[in-house]
Amino acid sequence: MDGLSNEVITILGKIKEEVADDSDIIWTSYESPLELRNEIDRCVYHLQQNNKKILEEINFHFAPTGIFQELSMTNGSSGKYHILTEHFDKLYVLLIKYN
């Protein structure tokens, strides 16, 4: 696994840290915060297995009105999320370009 993928995994870890048991997930497609954390773990697993196809799903989660943005807005962490999104967007372009 390359360094860029590791950086995406780190970003996903930071997103996961924001998903507490009492997180408001009403605007997501998930039934519980645990289900959302499991989705993040699934994405991380696929990155660790060098499955670059998962990048499209992760990119979708980061999209405007995507799961991660909705989570940040309903739980008061938009500022942190914006920084993580900018970082992910740059990594995504590089990963798609060079893989």
Side-chain angles (χ1 to χ4, degrees):
M1 180 173 28
D2 61 29
L4 297 175
S5 292
N6 283 332
E7 287 187 56
V8 172
I9 289 170
T10 298
I11 291 170
L12 290 172
K14 290 178 181 180
I15 295 287
K16 184 179 173 183
E17 288 173 2
E18 297 295 319
V19 186
D21 287 338
D22 63 347
S23 290
D24 182 351
I25 59 164
I26 191 125
W27 297 108
T28 74
S29 60
Y30 296 93
E31 296 293 323
S32 70
L34 176 61
E35 186 180 5
L36 178 52
R37 288 191 301 266
N38 287 340
E39 169 64 8
I40 294 168
D41 287 342
R42 185 184 71 81
C43 292
V44 166
Y45 172 80
H46 282 283
L47 282 173
Q48 290 170 332
Q49 299 304 308
N50 207 27
N51 177 358
K52 300 299 183 187
K53 291 179 182 178
I54 195 69
L55 286 170
E56 293 302 320
E57 282 186 55
I58 297 169
N59 188 47
F60 184 73
H61 291 331
F62 273 102
T65 70
I67 293 163
F68 297 156
Q69 183 184 43
E70 296 296 336
L71 176 73
S72 72
M73 291 174 67
T74 58
N75 293 286
S77 58
S78 293
K80 290 180 195 176
Y81 174 76
H82 182 70
I83 292 167
L84 293 174
T85 299
E86 285 183 349
H87 190 185
F88 172 79
D89 288 344
K90 290 174 186 173
L91 292 170
Y92 177 75
V93 168
L94 292 172
L95 283 164
I96 294 301
K97 184 176 181 178
Y98 295 111
N99 287 307

